[in-house]
Amino acid sequence: MRIEFYVLSSANPADRLRAACQLAAKGWRHGLPVLMRCADAAQRDELDQLLWRFRAESFIPHGLIEDDPDGPVVLALDEAPTVQQGLLINLASSLSPHIEHFSRIIEIVNQEPALLAACRENFRTYRQRGYDPKRVEL
């Protein structure tokens, strides 16, 4: 399993969501099923709206897990994915309870202190579980 922590230089939550949209689009274009795990329903709704208007020249097909669990890009909270070996973009502050279902995991880190602390803990937890997470500066 490939695990990467994409580190943003800003503390702006909107930058984090834009990065998530870019990564989802890239994963989808490469043929990976994408699950975007949101922190809460409000973030999921915001991300849903952002994906509709993210790029005028290209549509990112997406939906909520309860509406289209097998869609190309699925927005979820803690629900298990129905498609195996896809890409998880984790926007929640904790590890997904379903990490074994994915071939690739991306955690998006910004400079907001509470999120930074949570992501550092996630990085340590992945290591303790035997994974080799990588840091990627954006």
Side-chain angles (χ1 to χ4, degrees), residues 7-12 15 109-112 137-138:
V7 182
L8 303 173
S9 59
S10 82
N12 184 345
D15 291 344
V109 184
N110 70 11
Q111 300 304 308
E112 193 274 313
E137 298 285 337
L138 288 182

Side-chain angles (χ1 to χ4, degrees), residues 37-107:
R37 179 177 179 243
C38 302
D40 54 37
Q43 184 185 60
R44 188 177 76 159
D45 292 344
E46 184 178 356
L47 196 56
D48 183 29
Q49 291 304 309
L50 185 59
L51 283 165
W52 282 110
R53 64 181 191 279
F54 180 62
R55 287 220 170 96
E57 70 279 1
S58 65
F59 171 68
I60 302 169
H62 70 281
L64 305 181
I65 195 164
E66 61 268 20
D67 297 334
D68 189 10
D70 299 326
V73 176
V74 176
L75 304 177
L77 298 176
D78 277 334
E79 299 91 348
T82 58
V83 180
Q84 302 293 306
Q85 299 306 303
L87 165 63
L88 169 65
I89 298 174
N90 188 25
L91 294 165
S93 60
S94 61
L95 262 55
S96 166
H98 310 290
I99 61 174
E100 70 281 353
H101 293 279
F102 299 95
S103 61
R104 184 169 181 204
I105 297 174
I106 294 176
E107 302 256 354

